[in-house]
Amino acid sequence: PQNQVFGVAQNVWAAESEAPRPTPRLATRRSADIVIIGGGFTGVSTAWHLRQRHPDLGIVLLEAGVLGHGASGRNGGQVLHGVNGVNGVTAETPETLRRIHDVTRLGIDLAEQWASRYAPPGTFRRHGCLEVYTDAHRAEQAQARVEAWRGAGIAAEFLPAHTLGIQHACGAILDPHAGRLNGFALLQAMRPVLERAGVTVCEDTPVQRVRPGAEVVVEAPHG
């Protein structure tokens, strides 16, 4: 059916993207310097960065479905700064807050660069993110968090309830540099980029077993 990819129901990102044109599955025995398992953000980014730094490596990427078929293409699409669990007000110094923000900004910048260069229009939108609080105590905590961020030189703004016009809202954090990403469309667009760079991409290739040793063997149903 048109609303399915390899027998699994599509999500909203796949539904608004062009239909996948999957590469052939791994169907023979072959050797490589690097084998990457999984065609999500991590796998595709790893293949891309390795190719940039080591143009002579033989790189094979194996994906069970199509690129972006897993969690990378099935999430809420929010592209945000920070790392869950380490964004408290008092737990980090201004230097640590800046480092976390700068590192996650690099990921957002890379997504924006890839999308603007390779993906269809609208794949990435960097219009900011509004995090709304409907509990007064949590809104106070959010305001303190923004003050700590701004003290560290991070662009963020706390918006009080009267400026929002949102029923039951007690306040909100505005991150002006966050965005929204169709991860499925982006990863689909990266397939020909990897192939032009000499990375072998094999979709419809679930890895069944990895046998370590002097020669690491990765087993799939047909190769």
Side-chain angles (χ1 to χ4, degrees):
Q2 291 184 348
N3 67 338
Q4 294 191 349
V5 178
F6 291 113
V8 179
Q10 285 188 4
N11 62 84
V12 65
W13 300 122
E16 72 173 35
S17 304
E18 294 183 6
R21 298 180 178 88
T23 57
R25 67 177 60 164
L26 179 67
T28 184
R29 179 181 178 90
R30 64 170 300 156
S31 298
D33 299 303
I34 301 289
V35 178
I36 298 168
I37 301 173
F41 293 139
T42 301
V44 168
S45 179
T46 299
W48 187 83
H49 281 91
L50 280 172
R51 174 54 73 231
Q52 301 303 306
R53 298 184 184 188
H54 303 283
D56 297 328
L57 284 179
I59 303 173
V60 176
L61 188 153
L62 306 178
E63 162 58 40
V66 295
L67 298 189
H69 179 65
S72 294
R74 295 176 177 272
N75 52 56
Q78 300 175 65
V79 185
L80 309 175
H81 293 95
V83 179
N84 285 340
V86 291
N87 281 330
V89 175
T90 60
E92 291 86 23
T93 65
E95 179 185 0
T96 303
L97 289 171
R98 280 195 301 272
R99 289 180 62 193
I100 293 171
H101 189 271
D102 289 346
V103 166
T104 51
R105 189 194 67 236
L106 290 174
I108 299 175
D109 290 346
L110 181 61
E112 185 176 42
Q113 292 164 15
W114 280 358
S116 62
R117 185 172 181 180
Y118 304 119
T123 297
F124 183 89
R125 299 182 186 276
R126 202 165 190 170
H127 294 164
C129 174
L130 193 66
E131 185 173 340
V132 180
Y133 295 88
T134 58
D135 176 85
H137 180 62
R138 293 188 64 209
E140 291 177 3
Q141 292 177 324
Q143 185 172 10
R145 190 157 62 249
V146 168
E147 290 174 359
W149 290 345
R150 292 176 69 88
I154 296 170
E157 184 178 356
F158 181 79
L159 304 179
H162 71 271
T163 66
L164 295 172
I166 300 175
Q167 189 175 12
H168 304 306
C170 298
I173 293 177
L174 173 63
D175 179 350
H177 301 302
R180 188 228 72 167
L181 173 69
N182 180 337
F184 184 83
L186 177 62
L187 292 169
Q188 287 289 300
M190 291 303 295
R191 182 198 293 109
V193 176
L194 294 181
E195 292 182 314
R196 286 194 299 269
V199 175
T200 299
V201 179
C202 298
E203 295 173 291
D204 191 21
T205 304
V207 171
Q208 298 174 311
R209 184 182 180 190
V210 177
R211 291 194 281 118
E215 178 187 65
V216 178
V217 179
V218 179
E219 297 178 356
H222 305 284

